[in-house]
Amino acid sequence: MRSGTLEGQVALVTGAGRGIGREIALGLAAEGMAVGLVGRTLETLTGTLRACAGEGARGIAVTADVTRLGAVREAVRSVERDLGPIDLLVNNAGQVDKAEVPIWEVDAAQWWQVIEVNLRGPFNLLRCVLPGMVARGRGRVLNLNSGFAVRPDGHYTAYATSKGALLQLSDNIADSLAAHHVVVLDVSPGAVATDMTAGMPMFADRTEWNSIPYMVAVAVDAARGRFDALHGRFIHAGRDDLELLVERAERIRTLDARTLRLRRYGDDDPLA
């Protein structure tokens, strides 16, 4: 049932043709948001668009390769022309290493493709969407991140490196965005059953998965501003007590926690 709590707002969701991106778009549409759907395959995007229309929401489907700045710029223009200024950007499009192998055995071209999609892609969207948000003095960015960003993994080096870099990017832009009342959050959905995770050997025998509807609810709450106090921070939706994080947001900011930092080895560490 359409609640309309986000009526009048516009979201742009990448990777919206399937998986988490599709479900987030549907969840936002159900709350009254107009949705700009961006991805590489028109057929799957059109399917998502029909489902969003079934929720009574306005929408537009635009094919674009997120690694190409020109294509992203045109996609953003199309969304804003047809739907209006973008209030929420959801950077969801992503790829993972095709093989669980150490770095000296990887397909070098595919390794860099993962970095391109997972890091250059969000950068391109940020570069095209943020000027409007900054000019209007409002907006929210939700980067779909991963627990791989904060722990090493020798078999998914491209994915882990790209997600760590994405988290660091959010950290680096947080202060400048705060001055313009624009919020950026990195949220990991945890292990969710999607086409991508289905192809990962590490999940071959997994029987318990985190809930996609729960991640959708987190995205909707982010659009409502529930997590604004955690601006620039990493949230693990699959593990965190979100109420507790919000309650402790001031302490998290004071401790500069939930960010990537070099750990000092002691008080005499010259990098301290």
Side-chain angles (χ1 to χ4, degrees):
M1 295 293 292
R2 192 165 182 261
S3 75
T5 60
L6 295 173
E7 193 80 43
Q9 295 192 47
V10 176
L12 187 158
V13 183
T14 67
R18 58 183 182 174
I20 295 175
R22 171 187 167 89
E23 297 306 316
I24 286 177
L26 283 169
L28 296 171
E31 297 298 322
M33 249 184 162
V35 286
L37 311 171
V38 177
R40 291 178 299 173
T41 307
L42 182 58
E43 182 180 1
T44 57
L45 289 175
T46 301
T48 304
L49 182 61
R50 289 197 197 98
C52 290
E55 298 288 348
R58 295 185 302 132
I60 178 177
V62 186
T63 57
D65 179 345
V66 297
T67 68
R68 298 183 178 276
L69 182 59
V72 169
R73 185 180 293 114
E74 289 306 311
V76 170
R77 285 174 179 167
S78 295
V79 170
E80 294 188 325
R81 181 194 64 226
D82 287 12
L83 302 179
I86 295 166
D87 300 284
L88 173 69
L89 167 63
V90 181
N91 276 317
N92 165 74
Q95 288 188 8
V96 70
D97 311 48
K98 284 185 177 178
E100 238 182 46
V101 295
I103 196 167
W104 56 90
E105 296 179 9
V106 301
D107 177 328
Q110 201 268 330
W111 196 95
W112 278 110
Q113 183 182 35
V114 172
I115 301 292
E116 289 269 318
V117 173
N118 296 355
L119 183 59
R120 186 189 290 268
F123 165 79
N124 285 341
L125 269 298
L126 290 167
R127 182 64 187 84
C128 295
V129 172
L130 285 180
M133 289 184 173
V134 168
R136 293 186 295 274
R138 59 182 173 82
R140 295 183 175 94
V141 176
L142 181 62
N143 293 323
L144 269 289
N145 210 303
S146 167
F148 281 86
V150 294
R151 62 177 173 82
D153 188 283
H155 293 105
Y156 288 96
T157 52
Y159 187 73
T161 298
S162 66
K163 292 300 185 179
L166 179 60
L167 180 55
Q168 187 74 348
L169 175 60
S170 296
D171 189 13
N172 274 277
I173 65 177
D175 285 349
S176 55
L177 289 180
H180 299 282
H181 309 288
V182 177
V183 172
V184 60
L185 296 165
D186 278 54
V187 179
S188 167
V192 174
T194 63
D195 291 343
M196 187 179 81
T197 55
M200 297 172 70
M202 69 179 291
F203 293 135
D205 299 321
R206 193 180 186 105
T207 57
E208 294 185 4
W209 299 89
N210 291 339
S211 164
I212 288 183
Y214 180 68
M215 183 57 214
V216 172
V218 171
V220 169
D221 277 350
R224 291 187 180 122
R226 178 186 176 195
F227 307 116
D228 285 2
L230 293 165
H231 169 63
R233 311 294 160 171
F234 177 83
I235 300 171
H236 200 310
R239 296 183 182 179
D240 284 325
D241 179 332
L242 300 184
E243 290 290 347
L244 190 61
L245 280 190
V246 172
E247 178 185 316
R248 296 181 176 177
E250 184 175 352
R251 181 166 181 257
I252 289 170
R253 291 194 303 272
T254 299
L255 294 175
D256 209 11
R258 291 297 177 123
T259 57
L260 288 179
R261 291 289 184 272
L262 187 65
R263 293 179 181 144
R264 60 186 184 182
Y265 59 74
D267 292 339
D268 58 342
D269 187 339
L271 292 179

